Amino acid sequence: MLKHNFRGIIPPVSTIFNDQGELDQAGMGKVIDFLIEAGVDGLFFLGTGGEFSQMTEAERKEVASFATEYVAGRVPVLIGTGSANTREVVSLTQHAKEVKADGAVIINPYYWPLTEENLFKHYATVAEAVDIPILLYNFPTLTGQDLSPDFVAKLVKAYPNIVGIKETVDTAGHIREMIIKVKGENPNFSVLAGFDDHLLNTLSLGGDGAISASANYAPEFQIELYKAYMSGDMKTALDIQRRLAYLPLMYKLDSPFVSVIKEAMRLRGQQVSNYVLPPANLLSEAKIQEVKAILEKAGLM
């Protein structure tokens, strides 16, 4: 396996835009500095919350270039390079390597449900084209297709540069099986929770951390939980987990939920633009108050 260190808390960073929908470099820089100063273990750009699906290939490459250059090696950088189009994934992943990203995170193609043979060939084509560490991204609610532990095990056996997975599944059993079947055979394979409230059970099952949205606006929650668990302080870990459990409620307030994350960031003091790319829209004042109420229940305001 390629050398990598993808564990701990890796926020899926929100992309900051100006009111014309262009990358706001100053705003992005503020967010990056805030998260690194909070003590995160890496940064993941152009994930679901990074609005990659609303961007052109050129816009995605612009974000990837800026992010890697601005982070400048302070923490590992992951770039989301997934698409419904295999050729585009190859192009974006090659670009991620060119800008010296530490790894690429690749969600499976959406729109078409693929046969297992076609899905395997998709990932094989990318893994053979680029010798950069690759993390799979399993989000069946949005892609319509699950990356099963058996399928992932086959891929990892064939392609050692596939080094981890972001498990955005609301099922502890799926995460457990991924850890047993894939990480059990490949101890350096990273299994990272995609949902905030699955961090503790992922760690307790032998996983490695989380790439989940609340780290954008409450990084200290996940960082403290991770440190508490790793040091054996289960009381603190459980206390934080109970507060974390409120946060996924806010993602139901709007779809896409990207505007929810940006409003939570602003409510907690980050001075950044809340512009989101259509078809997402700004939250109504009533929904902003609901976000505030959930943050209050979690003890974050």
Side-chain angles (χ1 to χ4, degrees):
M1 286 199 175
L2 295 176
K3 185 181 179 189
H4 72 281
N5 184 29
F6 304 130
R7 58 178 59 90
I9 305 306
I10 304 173
V13 185
S14 291
T15 307
I16 307 303
F17 303 99
N18 63 24
D19 289 346
Q20 286 74 50
E22 300 159 337
L23 176 64
D24 176 354
Q25 293 191 357
M28 277 300 296
K30 280 186 193 175
V31 172
I32 290 167
D33 289 338
F34 167 76
L35 293 170
I36 292 174
E37 286 163 16
V40 299
D41 299 290
L43 294 169
F44 169 37
F45 298 91
L46 296 165
T48 304
E51 301 179 64
F52 83 89
S53 59
Q54 291 98 277
M55 292 187 204
T56 65
E57 185 175 347
E59 287 170 334
R60 292 174 69 175
K61 288 179 177 178
E62 181 190 8
V63 173
S65 298
F66 172 77
T68 48
E69 185 178 347
Y70 191 85
V71 173
R74 288 179 283 169
V75 295
V77 168
L78 297 171
I79 301 293
T81 61
S83 167
N85 172 339
T86 304
R87 292 171 302 161
E88 187 172 73
V89 178
V90 170
S91 172
L92 288 164
T93 309
Q94 288 173 333
H95 180 263
K97 184 188 176 180
E98 286 165 17
V99 298
K100 298 184 169 54
D102 297 281
V105 183
I106 305 178
I107 199 161
N108 43 310
Y110 30 89
Y111 190 73
W112 279 109
L114 303 182
T115 62
E116 186 167 303
E117 293 81 3
N118 285 339
L119 186 57
F120 191 94
K121 179 66 174 171
H122 169 77
Y123 278 116
T125 300
V126 183
E128 288 168 7
V130 185
D131 62 342
I132 186 174
I134 291 170
L135 285 84
L136 308 174
Y137 184 176
N138 190 29
F139 200 169
T141 304
L142 293 189
T143 64
Q145 189 161 18
D146 180 51
L147 299 179
S148 72
D150 289 332
F151 175 79
V152 172
K154 276 198 287 187
L155 262 181
V156 172
K157 187 174 183 183
Y159 296 101
N161 55 329
I162 298 177
V163 300
I165 189 166
K166 170 172 155 65
E167 276 271 75
T168 308
V169 291
D170 204 12
T171 320
H174 196 289
I175 298 168
R176 180 195 69 231
E177 198 175 333
M178 193 69 71
I179 291 166
I180 291 169
K181 290 188 173 178
V182 187
K183 193 174 176 68
E185 292 293 315
N186 308 274
N188 292 323
F189 187 83
S190 298
V191 178
L192 299 150
F195 284 129
D196 308 282
D197 52 341
H198 280 279
L199 170 56
L200 183 56
N201 65 271
T202 297
L203 292 172
S204 69
L205 292 165
D208 298 278
I211 300 178
S212 53
S214 70
N216 277 292
Y217 55 86
E220 70 278 13
F221 248 28
Q222 292 193 19
I223 291 166
E224 287 170 18
L225 191 159
Y226 180 75
K227 285 180 176 174
Y229 180 85
M230 297 306 285
S231 67
D233 182 0
M234 288 306 295
K235 182 183 183 306
T236 298
L238 284 166
D239 285 348
I240 299 170
Q241 174 70 18
R242 290 186 184 116
R243 293 165 66 196
L244 257 179
Y246 286 104
L247 301 180
L249 296 172
M250 72 171 67
Y251 310 142
K252 296 178 179 179
L253 296 176
D254 202 38
S255 184
F257 60 70
V258 290
S259 51
V260 174
I261 305 302
K262 288 181 181 176
E263 290 300 345
M265 291 166 69
R266 283 156 64 96
L267 284 165
R268 296 212 71 233
Q270 292 190 61
Q271 303 297 314
V272 292
S273 165
N274 61 351
Y275 185 92
V276 287
L277 298 177
N281 279 292
L282 298 181
L283 289 190
S284 66
E285 187 54 41
K287 285 185 178 178
I288 291 172
Q289 291 307 312
E290 289 185 68
V291 173
K292 189 176 181 182
I294 292 168
L295 291 172
E296 286 170 348
K297 284 180 182 173
L300 287 168
M301 289 195 75

